[in-house]
Amino acid sequence: MVFDGRRNIVEIDDDEKIVYFETWKPKKITGTRIGSILGYSEFSTPFKVACEIAGIYPGDKPDKYICAGNILEPVLRNYIGHSATKFLSGPLEISGDTRVKVEEPVEKERCQYDHFHDNKLFGGLVDGYVLVSNKRKAVLEIKTSHNRAVWEDGDGGFTNVPMTYMLQASLYAELANLDKIVFVVGFLKDPDDFVHPNLWKPSEENTYIIVKDKLNMSKYMSDAESWYKKYILGGHTPAWTDEDGEVLKYIKTTPKQGWSN
């Protein structure tokens, strides 16, 4: 077989709109990927995720929204963690003097960017856990957003969690053997807060806590596994679409290494 010459790529078939690849160590299905695989994401596609898992596309460069989220994740975690009993007892329906705490996640560099090494197919990084009486009660998922309307529930609250985020957090809850998810959402104003995210401070006016039951992940994970077997283990991507222009441009303009097998 003659290889294309680009990293892990065997052939780019413009007629079928498919990339054939060979990789000895594909990446895992993470919480940030499962929604895209199943067609729920407005920011990514099955083709893009297949390229990421196969190691032929490194992922999008961080934009201002991703950078702000990375900067403010520990800020929001500390904000909730410093008064966890006050903030979380009500939403978690915990009464009395029960102590609630936030558990920091293991640093990503120390765990090789995966908190779930015991699962060969699914993994990812959690933002932390909520502890009740020193036992894990819920997965903590921290988000920043500039669009309050997406989260509005029609009753004056902000409890409408986008499906991609529900799948992400539910996957981690499933892998952690937990049934509850605590979302902490910080709403930023665009563009000012994204230009200077270090100046943004969480408060009860701009930060909301949403408690959700984990989704039943059986079918979602089964469908994602079937997709993985068909495409990743099958050595080819799904067909690309018009939404995949940037990914395709990156792949096609990557210099060839000039070798064949």
Side-chain angles (χ1 to χ4, degrees):
M1 178 178 291
V2 178
F3 281 71
D4 175 87
R6 300 173 180 89
R7 178 181 173 85
N8 294 348
I9 296 178
V10 176
E11 179 187 358
I12 300 175
D13 188 332
D14 286 299
D15 293 328
E16 297 294 330
K17 299 183 177 180
I18 288 173
V19 177
Y20 293 89
F21 57 81
E22 184 172 276
T23 178
W24 66 275
K25 191 177 181 181
K27 298 178 175 66
K28 296 170 77 172
I29 297 174
T30 63
T32 55
R33 291 177 178 140
I34 190 169
S36 302
I37 287 171
L38 299 177
Y40 287 101
S41 176
E42 62 178 301
F43 303 110
S44 186
T45 67
F47 173 80
K48 179 189 285 189
V49 171
C51 291
E52 291 175 358
I53 292 176
I56 57 179
Y57 180 67
D60 295 339
K61 293 181 179 180
D63 58 17
K64 64 179 181 179
Y65 302 111
I66 295 174
C67 290
N70 291 337
I71 290 170
L72 293 174
E73 178 189 319
V75 174
L76 284 161
R77 185 166 46 242
N78 290 338
Y79 171 72
I80 296 299
H82 286 158
S83 302
T85 301
K86 168 191 169 184
F87 284 125
L88 298 176
S89 291
L92 286 171
E93 299 180 347
I94 298 169
S95 58
D97 298 325
T98 305
R99 182 77 183 275
V100 183
K101 297 193 298 185
V102 169
E103 177 185 340
E104 295 269 340
V106 176
E107 294 178 4
K108 56 188 178 182
E109 293 82 6
R110 290 179 53 201
C111 66
Q112 299 177 321
Y113 292 82
D114 184 17
H115 286 145
F116 302 100
H117 287 282
D118 57 341
N119 193 296
K120 294 182 179 180
L121 180 58
F122 297 95
L125 295 166
V126 300
D127 294 334
Y129 295 97
V130 175
L131 306 181
V132 176
S133 298
N134 289 321
K135 293 184 179 180
R136 287 180 177 174
K137 175 71 172 179
V139 164
L140 179 67
E141 187 64 37
I142 298 172
K143 298 297 181 186
T144 53
S145 177
H146 64 288
N147 189 355
R148 289 189 180 223
V150 171
W151 298 80
E152 290 179 352
D153 55 21
D155 295 318
F158 298 91
T159 62
N160 180 41
V161 180
M163 186 59 174
T164 49
Y165 296 157
M166 280 299 302
L167 285 169
Q168 176 184 10
S170 293
L171 175 63
Y172 296 154
E174 179 74 22
L175 296 176
N177 294 314
L178 297 170
D179 295 323
K180 292 286 185 181
I181 305 163
V182 172
F183 289 93
V184 178
V185 187
F187 289 109
L188 282 63
K189 294 180 180 179
D190 197 3
D192 293 347
D193 290 335
F194 291 96
V195 175
H196 303 289
N198 289 303
L199 300 179
W200 185 87
K201 303 296 181 185
S203 68
E204 293 188 40
E205 286 70 44
N206 61 24
T207 302
Y208 292 82
I209 297 167
I210 307 166
V211 175
K212 292 286 188 180
D213 292 328
K214 176 197 70 176
L215 297 173
N216 183 336
M217 291 300 292
S218 297
K219 188 174 188 313
Y220 296 117
M221 292 175 73
S222 176
D223 288 348
E225 183 176 0
S226 296
W227 178 94
Y228 187 94
K229 289 178 179 178
K230 177 178 180 179
Y231 294 110
I232 305 305
L233 299 187
H236 64 91
T237 67
W240 68 70
T241 68
D242 292 342
E243 297 178 61
D244 297 306
E246 288 300 315
V247 178
L248 196 60
K249 178 181 178 182
Y250 173 89
I251 292 172
K252 288 190 171 183
T253 57
T254 299
K256 294 187 178 184
Q257 298 173 358
W259 54 267
S260 62
N261 187 21

